[in-house]
Amino acid sequence: MATNAYPRCINPVGTLADGDAVYAASVGSHPADLNMAGTLAAQVLAEAIHRAVTTARIPEEEFLANIARK
């Protein structure tokens, strides 16, 4: 469900440059509604993507070189 954040933040989505793996871990024994947890996970991931993009400090030339190698 967290991957629902991709189309909210990335356009075009589904390319080799956007990443496509989400890992999650949980500890504890508190019951939670699965739909609510999934919805919140998508929101948190969307905020993380936004923060990563707006605070990135990689030179454009380096980014483009990494894309070209793939």
Side-chain angles (χ1 to χ4, degrees):
M1 289 184 196
T3 59
N4 289 328
Y6 290 158
R8 295 179 190 178
C9 304
I10 302 169
N11 186 14
V13 70
T15 67
L16 295 177
D18 64 16
D20 60 357
V22 176
Y23 298 91
S26 175
V27 297
S29 59
H30 294 286
D33 178 71
L34 183 60
N35 289 315
M36 180 60 74
T39 300
L40 293 173
Q43 181 62 35
V44 168
L45 182 57
E47 291 176 19
I49 292 168
H50 177 74
R51 185 175 298 166
V53 170
T54 58
T55 62
R57 299 289 183 250
I58 184 172
E60 188 172 298
E61 298 81 25
E62 182 180 343
F63 174 76
L64 294 175
N66 287 334
I67 295 294
R69 280 185 239 159
K70 291 182 181 182

